Amino acid sequence: MTQSTPQTMGQQFGRRSWAEPWKIKMVEPLRMVSRAEREKALAEAGYNTFLLRSEAVYIDLLTDSGTSAMSDRQWAGMMLGDEAYAGSRNFYNLENAIQTYYGYRHIVPTHQGRGAEHLLSQTTIKPGQYVPGNMYFTTTRLHQEMAGGIFVDVIIDEAHDPANLHPFKGNVDLGKVEALIQEKGAANIAYISLAGTVNMAGGQPVSMQNVRELRALCDRHGIKIYLDATRMAENAYFIQEREPGYADKSIAAIVLEFCSYTHGGWMSAKKDSLVNIGGWLAVNDWDLFEELRNLVVVFEGLHTYGGLAGRDMEAMAIGTAESMQDDHIRARIGQVRYLGQLLTDWGIPIVQPVGGHAIFVDARRFYPHIPQGEFPAQTLAAQLYLDSGIRSMERGVVSAGRNAKTGDHYYPKLELTRLTIPRRVYTQAHMDVVAESLKIVYDNREQTRGLRMVYEPKYLRFFQARFEPLG
């Protein structure tokens, strides 16, 4: 009798499964609290999933920021922390990793991405200048506005349509940029704020051709490009998969080329770099770097630690290298796609194509009877938690905020509920549980009512706003 091998079994069944490129070495127990406990917890949290206590959450898909599982090498690196106030060797390891994988010359560490956004905004934006970007991100836009900048959305129109299958919905519309330059003048544009895998559009990527052409346009007008590199490894995977000429290039090589078309970048290392805290800002211009490393001392810490412990910088340096491994990023996006396929098969409306870090449920189509002013995406996040203890988050009118001049809500075209998958944390079985719970909520959608906002903080209201059910 011939013994079966994985190859012959694959031929026999006509399919080949994939598996995560890691094995579990340590576990953290999970517990689903009762329905009555969930109802009480959600009411106490003002129907805002950000205000839930984590012990009341079963599967936590609130964010992929700082929620990854670190590797054995990263934990080992934590034991090599050089906690010197100045000149920690871990900073130089981190500096080398960023220079190697992202290609930027001068590096300033920060406690997380928004620290880098603040420094960049304060040093490069003059009051009244415009900051074109491929769709806003909440903290990025706020820091730009607090520095006196005016954000302008220059993403392609396809990005605002959740059903559009354009392979690079994160692309910048070069015509929009050119029109802004002609109308306002190049001197009135601070820089181009470019994000890889655009979060608010559903984790949609930017093509290499687009950034190459954008750089050529900016060079003609003397405008700089600064990259939000938070999820550039994921962006590189889509380039490798979809763009001609990149199928045989490694994730690391693609990231390096992409960054070469920009003048600098910043990162929340809590995402791609697989750490629980940390970030950085990197530029090629020495004079700007001098200003940044002087200012970082005021807000973050000395320029060789930027608000971080040495052990955190070491874990970040190791995680930077691990994030560029092709097997890792393929499995990471594969898990997201697995969940997306289940939901698509069941007719649940989600943003297509499936992005890199999350599934974005189209709450407008999910709850067509709930007007946007009654917060359908926030409602969906609340209902999902009530059903199964799964925590997700809103990315719609609540996240968009208010117009400072008129006081009216911004009403974005995309009203989304985000199911964000932490890296190396959950299994395929967890994704099955998530999909089944969302199906139950979807089947009961017609009986669901919206919410009213009863407390609104001044800044980034989605973090702390409170709601109550209508009716």
Side-chain angles (χ1 to χ4, degrees):
M1 181 177 178
T2 304
Q3 185 176 5
S4 294
T5 66
Q7 288 74 25
T8 58
M9 289 175 63
Q11 293 165 3
Q12 178 183 353
F13 296 116
R15 65 183 292 273
R16 293 302 303 271
S17 297
W18 66 272
E20 293 84 353
W22 38 263
K23 61 182 180 181
I24 297 169
K25 186 175 283 190
M26 182 179 72
V27 297
E28 176 185 345
L30 297 177
R31 171 178 171 264
M32 185 191 295
V33 301
S34 69
R35 171 81 185 206
E37 289 174 297
R38 296 197 299 273
E39 289 175 350
K40 183 174 183 289
L42 190 63
E44 290 177 349
Y47 290 80
N48 186 344
T49 52
F50 273 98
L51 300 180
L52 290 167
R53 295 192 178 197
S54 64
E55 58 260 33
V57 174
Y58 177 45
I59 298 174
D60 201 343
L61 307 184
L62 184 76
T63 181
D64 62 333
S65 180
T67 57
S68 298
M70 292 202 300
S71 70
D72 52 358
R73 292 185 66 251
Q74 286 179 290
W75 281 111
M78 295 278 282
M79 301 305 295
L80 300 175
D82 173 8
E83 306 307 339
Y85 186 88
S88 165
R89 64 174 172 269
N90 307 121
F91 164 73
Y92 296 104
N93 292 341
L94 175 62
E95 180 183 56
N96 180 68
I98 296 166
Q99 290 170 339
T100 299
Y101 290 102
Y102 293 90
Y104 301 122
R105 297 190 188 101
H106 312 300
I107 286 80
V108 175
T110 60
H111 79 283
Q112 61 183 60
R114 68 194 59 177
E117 291 171 345
H118 171 67
L119 294 176
L120 182 66
S121 298
Q122 291 297 316
T123 54
T124 56
I125 298 173
K126 298 175 183 177
Q129 283 188 317
Y130 295 87
V131 188
N134 55 340
M135 198 172 283
Y136 81 98
F137 183 67
T138 51
T139 60
T140 312
R141 185 180 69 183
L142 179 60
H143 282 119
Q144 292 165 351
E145 290 174 347
M146 292 180 73
I150 303 166
F151 175 79
V152 180
D153 188 358
V154 293
I155 202 167
I156 60 175
D157 291 340
E158 290 88 339
H160 295 281
D161 178 0
N164 193 291
L165 295 177
H166 191 292
F168 292 101
K169 287 165 72 172
N171 278 357
V172 171
D173 186 322
L174 302 181
K176 292 180 182 179
V177 176
E178 188 74 67
L180 184 67
I181 293 171
Q182 296 303 318
E183 180 184 355
K184 305 297 183 182
N188 291 316
I189 295 176
Y191 58 87
I192 304 292
S193 181
L194 180 68
T197 52
V198 180
N199 193 344
M200 304 299 283
Q204 300 299 313
V206 181
S207 72
M208 192 73 78
Q209 179 181 350
N210 187 246
V211 70
R212 190 185 299 120
E213 293 176 352
L214 178 64
R215 175 59 185 263
L217 171 62
C218 289
D219 281 350
R220 291 197 298 271
H221 296 282
I223 298 171
K224 300 289 181 64
I225 304 171
Y226 293 110
L227 173 69
D228 181 349
T230 295
R231 297 184 181 89
M232 266 313 302
E234 294 175 3
N235 197 105
Y237 178 82
F238 292 114
I239 291 174
Q240 185 187 68
E241 180 184 64
R242 300 173 182 174
E243 195 159 358
Y246 289 93
D248 295 328
K249 292 184 181 294
S250 68
I251 295 297
I254 294 170
V255 169
L256 197 61
E257 181 184 345
F258 195 102
C259 292
S260 73
Y261 297 118
T262 68
H263 298 84
W266 74 92
M267 185 178 195
S268 171
K270 297 164 66 178
K271 283 82 167 177
D272 267 359
S273 292
L274 304 162
V275 290
N276 305 129
I277 197 68
W280 50 260
L281 175 59
V283 297
N284 293 328
D285 180 83
W286 175 263
D287 291 336
L288 177 57
F289 171 62
E290 280 279 79
E291 191 172 357
L292 290 168
R293 72 171 178 175
N294 184 268
L295 196 61
V296 75
V297 178
V298 179
F299 294 104
E300 301 281 313
L302 195 66
H303 63 281
T304 55
Y305 79 90
L308 295 168
R311 56 183 175 268
D312 295 320
M313 290 190 286
E314 189 66 26
M316 201 191 314
I318 295 168
T320 297
E322 291 182 354
S323 72
M324 300 292 172
Q325 294 170 355
D326 287 63
D327 285 346
H328 157 72
I329 203 68
R330 187 180 303 114
R332 190 280 186 283
I333 293 179
Q335 188 178 53
V336 178
R337 283 178 166 169
Y338 175 80
L339 175 58
Q341 190 59 56
L342 286 176
L343 299 179
T344 300
D345 289 346
W346 289 337
I348 297 172
I350 65 173
V351 172
Q352 298 282 4
V354 170
H357 68 291
I359 296 299
F360 290 73
V361 183
D362 185 352
R364 274 183 161 175
R365 285 190 288 158
F366 197 101
Y367 290 133
H369 60 288
I370 298 179
Q372 199 170 13
E374 295 177 7
F375 313 114
Q378 190 77 37
T379 300
L380 176 52
Q383 291 299 316
L384 183 62
Y385 174 76
L386 280 177
D387 178 73
S388 58
I390 295 168
R391 176 156 63 171
S392 58
M393 72 163 293
E394 185 267 4
R395 277 298 183 224
V397 65
V398 181
S399 294
R402 290 185 185 273
N403 185 305
K405 294 182 179 179
T406 67
D408 295 331
H409 294 302
Y410 286 117
Y411 287 99
K413 293 182 180 179
L414 298 176
E415 180 73 16
L416 309 174
T417 303
R418 190 180 77 182
L419 310 171
T420 329
I421 316 300
R423 296 161 184 81
R424 305 192 297 204
V425 171
Y426 294 115
T427 67
Q428 198 158 305
H430 290 104
M431 298 301 102
D432 291 334
V433 171
V434 172
E436 290 162 8
S437 177
L438 198 59
K439 177 68 163 60
I440 290 171
V441 175
Y442 187 60
D443 288 343
N444 293 297
R445 63 193 181 278
E446 292 180 1
Q447 288 75 47
T448 303
R449 298 287 303 277
L451 300 167
R452 69 166 60 90
M453 188 181 294
V454 296
Y455 167 70
E456 180 178 359
K458 185 175 181 180
Y459 300 115
L460 299 174
R461 63 185 186 176
F462 62 93
F463 283 128
Q464 296 172 327
R466 302 181 72 87
F467 305 84
E468 64 181 18
L470 289 167

